[in-house]
């Protein structure tokens, strides 16, 4: 996400196997329009480049997410993502919303030093991580 690079913008770039197209997929001001049901969530073992090397968390992600955003030229994008694209998008959107993979774990599942740092804020951050928000507006996004 842009925030990881010091850019004050809501921007996600999916590259490589995470991109649903053959080039980097750039999303400006992304939002989730709909998600697959909780019965269709997929378990993933994730790591994060902003956390200690070797720290992995098993968590559930929506199998399918329908998203809306704009491309770098301001053109509206509406797309349904699945598989690795859906997983990576949700991971990066979490960063934009101030959520890390450790927020999905129980404190007992985290290394002691990480659990100690996370403990004062963990319950509130975990509630936010599990919210599964979708766009609730009354008007269409971008079009």
């Amino acid at each position: 996400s842009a925030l990881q690079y010091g850019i004050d913008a809501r921007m996600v770039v999916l590259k490589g196997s995470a991109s649903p197209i053959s080039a980097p997929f750039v999303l400006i001001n992304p939002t989730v329009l709909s998600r697959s049901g909780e019965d269709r969530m997929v378990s993933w073992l994730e790591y994060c480049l902003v956390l200690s090397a070797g720290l992995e968390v098993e968590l559930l992600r929506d199998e399918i997410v329908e998203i809306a955003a704009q491309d770098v030229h301001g053109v509206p994008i509406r797309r349904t993502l699945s598989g690795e694209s859906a997983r990576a998008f949700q991971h990066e959107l979490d960063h934009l919303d101030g959520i890390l993979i450790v927020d999905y774990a129980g404190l007992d599942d985290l290394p002691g030093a990480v659990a100690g740092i996370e403990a004062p804020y963990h319950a509130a951050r975990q509630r936010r991580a599990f919210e599964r928000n979708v766009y609730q507006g009354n008007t269409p996004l971008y079009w």
Side-chain angles (χ1 to χ4, degrees):
S1 72
L3 294 176
Q4 291 173 263
Y5 295 95
I7 300 169
D8 186 16
R10 288 190 60 84
M11 177 172 48
V12 167
V13 179
L14 301 178
K15 300 187 317 184
S17 64
S19 177
I21 60 176
S22 60
F25 190 50
V26 180
L27 302 163
I28 310 296
N29 296 321
T31 191
V32 175
L33 299 175
S34 66
R35 299 174 179 271
S36 53
E38 287 187 14
D39 60 325
R40 294 185 58 195
M41 294 184 81
V42 178
S43 178
W44 294 89
L45 185 61
E46 290 190 16
Y47 66 94
C48 184
L49 298 176
V50 302
L51 299 172
S52 303
L55 177 60
E56 295 179 331
V57 173
E58 186 171 346
L59 53 86
L60 295 173
R61 297 276 188 201
D62 294 292
E63 177 184 30
I64 297 169
V65 287
E66 181 185 6
I67 64 164
Q70 294 172 304
D71 70 11
V72 295
H73 304 290
V75 176
I77 298 170
R78 186 172 180 156
R79 184 106 183 205
T80 300
L81 302 175
S82 62
E84 174 63 10
S85 295
R87 185 213 60 81
F89 172 80
Q90 291 170 84
H91 180 105
E92 298 304 327
L93 188 65
D94 278 351
H95 281 294
L96 295 180
D97 294 334
I99 298 168
L100 298 173
I101 60 171
V102 295
D103 299 323
Y104 289 94
L107 286 175
D108 294 341
D109 299 324
L110 298 173
V114 175
I117 294 167
E118 183 75 8
Y121 315 101
H122 192 68
R125 289 176 59 147
Q126 195 168 55
R127 270 193 306 279
R128 283 190 24 238
F130 288 130
E131 283 178 346
R132 301 182 73 230
N133 291 324
V134 295
Y135 177 68
Q136 297 292 319
N138 293 324
T139 58
L141 287 169
Y142 311 121
W143 56 86

